[in-house]
Structure formats: C-alpha cells, structure tokens
Amino acid sequence: MIRRLPAALLSLFIATGTWAANSTCQFEQVPVGPQKLGPWIDKSNWLAIENQRLTLQAGEVFMPAWRLAPVGDAQRTAVKLRPIDDFPVVDPLDGSRRDLAFLLDSRLYADGLVVLRNGRVVTERYRNGLTPDQPRLLLEATRPLLNLLGAMSVSQGKLAADKSVSRFLPTMPPSAGLRKLSIRRLLENEERHAWTPEDLESWQQAGGWTTNQAGNGIRAWLAQAGRWEKPLDEPEMTTFAAAPDDDLLARILAESNAIPLSRLFCEGLLSRHPPEHPVVWLSDSQGVELATGLGLSLRDFAKLGQVLVDARSSRNRGKIPSWFIETLTASSGMRSAEIKGLAKGSEQRYGFVHLGGSPNRVALIGAHGTSLYIDFDERLVIALYATRPGESTPAMLAVLERAWKAIDMAIAQPEKPKKP
C-alpha cells in the first residue's frame, strides 16, 4: 500500500525546508522572458526546425521555467582530446568514402558532440552557436528518462507496475480509459493513444508551447472529461515523437513521489554526477513542469549515460533497479526485432533503443538526431545535439549508427605519433 502524506503536512514540510535534505536540488522559479528573439522569432515559430539552433538554448525566453544552478565543477580533461574529424567512414546514404566530420556536419547537422570513456571526456566539439555551458532543451528525448524515473519509483514502492494508472491519480476524474491502462504499459512506451491533430494542437497550447495566453495549464487539459477514452495503438513504424501520454506520466511521477518532477529527476539521476552547468525545466503557466521541458548542457546530458554505465558495473547501483539495466541490454534472441536503419535485432524498450549487433549497446534517440549512445562493455558514452530537418527516418538512423561506430573506432585506435 502506498502511503501519502496529508496535504497540510506536505505543505508544512515544503515550507519548513524538510525536503531540503538534498540541498543540491533546489530549483528556482524563473518568470517567462520577452517571448521574442530578434525581429523574426516569436512564440509562433520558435520551435520551427530552422530556428532551433537558437531557440533550444533560450527556452526561458519563451516559457516560464525552473532553474537549477550548477553545483559541480567543470570537469578538467585528464588527457588530450582525441581528434576524430578526419577519421575515414563510408557514407551510408550513397556509399561514398567520407570523413567523420562530413557525416556529423552535413548528414546529421550536428551542433555538439561529447564523448566519455570511463567517465572522462575524450572528445568534445561545438558548432553553429552551441556553447558548452548553456542548457539546451531535449524535447522528445526526455521521455525515456521519465520511463527510467518510473522504473525507479516502482522499485522504491511508490508505484506498482501492474496497478492501473488511475490508482496514482486520485485528483483526476474517473476515467474508464485510465483504469484500463497499467503503469507497466505506460512505462513500456510501446503504445500511444490515438490522438487527432486537433488533440495535439490543444495539448501544446495548454502547455504554453505555442501561445502567449495563460490558460488553466497542462493538468486541467489532462483531466478534461473524456480525454482518455481513446484506443491505445501500437504504431506501425518506430516513432520518437512526443505525445500527451508523456505529460500523463510526468503527473503520475510527481504525485506518487510527492515532490516536483524537476526535483525527482535531480535527486534520482543527478546526485551521483552533479551538473557542471545550469539545468532548466520549462513549465506551464501554473508552474507545472512539462514532460518535454528538460534542458541540459551537452556534458550533463552525457553524464546521464555515465549514470547508466555505472549502475550496471557497480555493486552499488544507487536507485536504478538492476532489472531495468538488464532489460535494456538483454539480447533479442529469437525475436525478429527490427527498427529500419539500425542493426538487426534493434528494438525499443522503455523508450530507449536496444541496439542489435554488438552486445550491450543502448541508445536514447530524440528528434532531429539528438541522441545518447551507451556501450556498456566499452564504458563509452556519445552525446549528440543535432538539428537535422525532417522526421527520424531510417536514413537518419543509419547515419547515426554509422557515426556511433566510427567514433568508437576513432577513440579506440592508438594515436599516431607526430613526425619530428
């Protein structure tokens, strides 16, 4: 049975700082900025792909947010950064011989790359205005992290995998659709409600993504009568797109753990590797964190991959349950798993992607090429911010896979001595 503190006692704890046991996770609320960047970018077009190189680093200009000041020192690289741009690679799109820099810049529209090996930065590059110290919005790439927080909540007894999600939403009106949906199905992230384009537009407006008008917020939208009486469908093709289901999970996480989502994320995933740079989490007009509102610097994004690597290799896994890591890395076996563009045997698991081919490789894939690659055996993490136009097509995934392998090989090869 899950125990919930009475509302009055919870308010007292918050007011008196009882929740401040972890003082490194104190987010401060930041009011919305001018909602305009230069003469041409405003709330109506700030998320257009042609503007994202500017706007994803300026989320607080357009929306209210919660902000965490950095508490970790910037990591000093112990070894010389490995040059990788000239590493030869075959372009998967036309079979031509290229170098890795061409693949990153011309095929993936890469804005930044950080590579960790054994927890240390071994390669780092920034392009197109991306700066090392500025948090950038992850958007769709946040959902797998919410699934991970959900798995951690199950392990800690805050959630029960086989129970209905409605059990953990006592303030939501009764819904047959929510009663039929279990926590496990929501976290596995293999099905989506059949949202119409009109549903998705009103969802974005409720969150404040596309309008300046202060409405009732995302929770009022989620609680609207009849909202969840839609069929659950498994998409025919693998999709990494955001959906209202993400904000439903965000609400469940916050309510079941009785702390804000940003605080839960910080205490659960940032405590072992404190952020080097500010962390932001965009909110609606009511101050409720949005499921796709997390913003991290590229180094701090890479550290999340290191958290998973450490959880698998250390006896002290922290709060991440062992079954979650084992599920991500387990071989597909006889199953005919396939995601077009990736190696045979690749499949989505809890929003992450188990990669076929070489064992114990996992990826978190967002929109437009932004991704986090983890090789548990090599203790290698590749964090990439990109703004490739278009959807996550098989061609884009094939380029990503080729780039990951090339970076792995470039880092592994012995450095050539300089000629005298």
Side-chain angles (χ1 to χ4, degrees):
M1 180 177 180
I2 295 178
R3 300 179 180 178
R4 291 186 174 84
L5 294 172
L9 184 57
L10 176 59
S11 299
L12 177 63
F13 279 4
I14 294 174
T16 58
T18 303
W19 292 120
N22 188 342
S23 60
T24 64
C25 290
Q26 299 299 316
F27 282 76
E28 294 185 1
Q29 194 164 20
V30 181
V32 65
Q35 299 184 318
K36 191 174 180 65
L37 195 62
W40 310 114
I41 303 176
D42 57 27
K43 201 64 175 287
S44 68
N45 64 1
W46 75 288
L47 290 175
I49 184 61
E50 64 268 22
N51 295 328
Q52 286 189 9
R53 279 178 168 161
L54 290 172
T55 58
L56 293 188
Q57 295 184 85
E60 296 153 288
V61 171
F62 296 94
M63 298 180 66
W66 294 89
R67 187 177 184 91
L68 177 69
V71 294
D73 295 329
Q75 184 186 128
R76 295 180 179 177
T77 308
V79 295
K80 180 181 177 182
L81 294 180
R82 296 296 300 270
I84 63 170
D85 282 6
D86 294 333
F87 189 81
V89 62
V90 175
D91 188 338
L93 298 191
D94 62 9
S96 300
R97 294 193 64 81
R98 313 280 193 183
D99 56 34
L100 185 52
F102 177 89
L103 221 59
L104 292 171
D105 297 333
S106 299
R107 295 294 189 230
L108 288 174
Y109 295 70
D111 301 319
L113 172 75
V114 168
V115 182
L116 306 181
R117 169 153 275 173
N118 294 317
R120 305 296 297 176
V121 176
V122 293
T123 290
E124 192 169 26
R125 77 197 292 268
Y126 296 91
R127 301 288 188 275
N128 308 315
L130 182 67
T131 57
D133 60 342
Q134 190 70 15
R136 170 165 157 155
L137 296 179
L138 300 184
L139 299 181
E140 293 89 338
T142 311
R143 175 59 193 268
L145 301 175
L146 298 186
N147 294 334
L148 172 56
L149 290 174
M152 294 163 66
S153 298
V154 170
S155 178
Q156 295 163 17
K158 303 292 180 61
L159 293 173
D162 295 326
K163 299 297 183 181
S164 166
V165 300
S166 59
R167 177 188 176 102
F168 305 98
L169 294 169
T171 60
M172 290 267 282
S175 166
L178 292 181
R179 284 196 300 271
K180 296 175 183 177
L181 178 63
S182 70
I183 291 294
R184 186 189 308 279
R185 288 176 71 186
L186 182 62
L187 296 181
E188 287 178 346
N189 203 186
E190 296 175 355
E191 302 168 300
R192 296 289 180 95
H193 286 87
W195 302 107
T196 66
E198 292 75 21
D199 291 331
L200 296 175
E201 182 179 1
S202 66
W203 163 61
Q204 289 185 318
Q205 290 175 350
W209 293 100
T210 58
T211 179
N212 294 330
Q213 298 178 353
N216 295 325
I218 194 64
R219 291 194 171 181
W221 189 93
L222 295 173
Q224 185 173 335
R227 178 68 70 199
W228 301 96
E229 313 309 324
K230 298 178 180 294
L232 274 170
D233 297 326
E234 188 169 343
E236 294 182 4
M237 295 184 62
T238 302
T239 177
F240 303 100
D245 309 66
D246 306 344
D247 278 304
L248 178 69
L249 175 56
R251 179 169 182 174
I252 291 171
L253 291 171
E255 294 199 6
S256 62
N257 286 273
I259 57 175
L261 181 63
S262 55
R263 181 81 177 264
L264 178 66
F265 168 76
C266 177
E267 293 183 0
L269 296 178
L270 297 184
S271 58
R272 294 180 68 85
H273 295 279
E276 296 181 22
H277 304 295
V279 177
V280 300
W281 206 305
L282 302 189
S283 74
D284 65 4
S285 60
Q286 309 300 311
V288 175
E289 295 98 327
L290 298 165
T292 52
L294 174 61
L296 296 168
S297 73
L298 190 52
R299 277 198 177 190
D300 291 327
F301 184 42
K303 283 184 176 183
L304 293 179
Q306 189 62 41
V307 168
L308 292 174
V309 170
D310 292 345
R312 181 175 185 258
S313 59
S314 173
R315 291 182 178 180
N316 180 16
R317 297 176 183 268
K319 300 178 181 179
I320 298 177
S322 58
W323 64 261
F324 188 84
I325 302 296
E326 291 165 1
T327 299
L328 294 186
T329 57
S331 171
S332 299
M334 299 299 293
R335 291 175 292 180
S336 57
E338 182 180 11
I339 297 177
K340 290 185 178 180
L342 298 177
K344 186 178 180 181
S346 300
E347 62 181 358
Q348 281 189 301
R349 298 176 184 175
Y350 291 93
F352 291 83
V353 175
H354 166 83
L355 295 169
S358 300
N360 299 320
R361 299 182 309 129
V362 171
L364 182 160
I365 301 175
H368 309 299
T370 289
S371 56
L372 188 66
Y373 170 89
I374 305 163
D375 186 325
F376 288 93
D377 292 342
E378 298 295 330
R379 297 183 59 82
L380 178 74
V381 176
I382 302 172
L384 180 70
Y385 282 162
T387 46
R388 184 183 186 277
E391 302 295 328
S392 298
T393 62
M396 187 206 78
L397 297 178
V399 174
L400 262 181
E401 176 103 44
R402 187 63 54 86
W404 292 331
K405 290 181 178 179
I407 292 169
D408 191 353
M409 294 172 64
I411 297 300
Q413 71 173 4
E415 191 169 5
K416 295 180 180 178
K418 292 184 178 180
K419 295 182 179 179

